[in-house]
Amino acid sequence: MRKYIFELEMKVRDYECDLQGVVNNANYQHYMEHAGANFGELHQQGIDAMVARVEIDYKVSLISGNRFSVKLNISREGAKLVFLEDIYRLSDDKLCARGRVESICVKDGKLTRGELFDEIFADYLK
């Protein structure tokens, strides 16, 4: 079992499902965006973490009413901060989706080498 630095429980809402009755693929990325740092606060400080790349592997579909958990780890790869996120259905602990979100950091409109990530996430990047 993987260890995670953050976990957020949520529930699927009807409008997140497509005609087949399963969660629309794009909503898994929305779920992942809710887990982690408060990027609104960082933006107020002139710091923006921006998505450079997203990869999502879909394993088991969620349906309306399912409760699920988004679990998060992070790592640094060069100038990028990588969010490694797994979504589990709570009723049976099935892995529903596995995501990898690569982010870059912009401060006051200028691309950084990611050194701010080291400061912001120091407790988790060991």
Side-chain angles (χ1 to χ4, degrees):
M1 181 98 177
R2 290 183 177 207
K3 292 190 177 196
Y4 300 94
I5 63 167
F6 183 81
E7 182 175 342
L8 175 67
E9 290 187 13
M10 299 173 73
K11 182 178 177 181
V12 175
R13 296 162 289 202
D14 290 339
Y15 67 85
E16 296 168 333
C17 298
D18 59 23
L19 291 174
Q20 291 83 25
V22 298
V23 170
N24 180 276
N25 64 304
N27 285 311
Y28 290 90
Q29 185 172 345
H30 292 282
Y31 298 154
M32 291 176 186
E33 289 173 355
H34 284 289
N38 185 332
F39 293 104
E41 285 180 13
L42 292 175
H43 176 74
Q44 295 302 318
Q45 300 170 37
I47 301 168
D48 292 302
M50 304 175 88
V51 172
R53 180 182 175 89
V54 175
E55 295 176 17
I56 300 175
D57 294 321
Y58 302 96
K59 306 292 188 179
V60 174
S61 295
L62 289 167
I63 61 173
S64 183
N66 280 161
R67 296 199 60 76
F68 62 94
S69 179
V70 182
K71 299 182 181 189
L72 170 71
N73 277 316
I74 58 174
S75 67
R76 277 288 305 277
E77 291 182 11
K80 295 177 186 169
L81 183 69
V82 179
F83 295 87
L84 303 165
E85 302 183 64
D86 294 334
I87 297 176
Y88 288 91
R89 186 170 53 205
L90 293 178
S91 64
D92 58 4
D93 204 34
K94 288 272 188 184
L95 176 64
C96 297
R98 176 159 281 159
R100 176 185 169 90
V101 180
E102 297 177 2
S103 299
I104 51 98
C105 186
V106 175
K107 175 144 174 79
D108 298 324
K110 295 181 182 170
L111 184 62
T112 72
R113 294 184 182 179
E115 62 278 356
L116 291 170
F117 289 141
D118 295 331
E119 296 171 26
I120 296 165
F121 298 103
D123 292 341
Y124 309 108
L125 292 170
K126 297 178 181 176

